[in-house]
Amino acid sequence: MNGYNLKLENGRMSFQPERDYKSKILFFALLAAGIFVVTPMLHLYRDIQWCVMAVGLVSAFTALYDFIFHFNVTYIFDQYTRQVYKKIPGLFTRKIMPFEDVFILHIQEDGLLHYALSHKQNKYGKSFAISQPFGTNRKSQIRQEGFETEILTEIEKIIHHSV
């Protein structure tokens, strides 16, 4: 599935669940760039100029934070080590849990469904979102069906397949 950057190779499956942050990142990056370019050209009072620049700075940090910690997050299911890893490229790769502890939760928040990985012993403790939220409209239901048939089935195959 192109939207999730799914890769299957040599007993490893990796995918990026939150690729839908792209439009949000672009919006905040363009807002920040626009503010930093236009504001110095306007003849504003110094206090107002600093307030507008602060909005631009917050927008830039929001875009950067989402790019680093959401957009590029990759989950790796390694069949040989039988571990699930969370990778933030350029920063770290962290072991999350062994395959034996994996439980896939269907979480309903604010009327939106999303899927998450959780530990079997503590299902409603710390969890890791593996899908974007799915709404009730037709487009969201098509995305949800695609996620369930392509991503979730591959996760189930790799977790329950013996080495």
Side-chain angles (χ1 to χ4, degrees):
M1 180 177 248
N2 290 339
Y4 291 96
N5 230 5
L6 177 66
K7 293 178 186 165
L8 296 164
E9 53 192 30
N10 300 332
R12 290 182 82 166
M13 181 187 97
S14 66
F15 70 98
Q16 296 175 319
E18 300 184 40
R19 299 299 284 185
D20 60 337
Y21 271 80
K22 185 176 187 176
S23 58
K24 180 182 175 188
I25 292 168
L26 284 174
F27 172 76
F28 280 110
L30 290 174
L31 177 66
I35 287 173
F36 292 139
V37 169
V38 173
T39 303
M41 289 188 246
L42 300 174
H43 299 292
L44 300 173
Y45 291 113
R46 188 174 188 169
D47 292 340
I48 293 174
Q49 186 174 5
W50 280 107
C51 289
V52 172
M53 293 296 245
V55 170
L57 192 62
V58 169
S59 297
F61 281 133
T62 300
L64 184 64
Y65 179 83
D66 284 343
F67 180 75
I68 293 172
F69 294 106
H70 290 130
F71 185 69
N72 284 324
V73 169
T74 304
Y75 288 100
I76 301 167
F77 293 79
D78 192 340
Q79 201 169 21
Y80 297 110
T81 61
R82 300 199 49 79
Q83 294 283 333
V84 180
Y85 299 92
K86 180 178 181 179
K87 178 180 181 180
I88 296 180
L91 293 179
F92 65 85
T93 300
R94 186 176 110 199
K95 247 187 247 188
I96 296 177
M97 66 186 82
F99 283 1
E100 295 77 29
D101 286 347
V102 172
F103 184 80
I104 298 175
L105 280 174
H106 308 347
I107 300 174
Q108 190 93 20
E109 289 179 342
D110 299 330
L112 302 174
L113 170 78
H114 74 273
Y115 293 92
L117 290 179
S118 181
H119 292 276
K120 281 183 181 174
Q121 296 88 355
N122 188 5
K123 294 176 185 159
Y124 299 104
K126 183 169 176 87
S127 62
F128 303 91
I130 58 171
S131 77
Q132 74 269 20
F134 301 111
T136 55
N137 63 16
R138 180 81 179 128
K139 187 177 177 182
S140 286
Q141 289 180 348
I142 291 170
R143 280 192 352 226
Q144 180 180 352
E145 288 171 9
F147 179 82
E148 290 170 350
T149 57
E150 295 184 33
I151 304 293
L152 281 182
T153 55
E154 289 298 326
I155 290 173
E156 291 292 332
K157 280 183 201 175
I158 203 162
I159 287 175
H160 298 299
H161 179 70
S162 59
V163 179

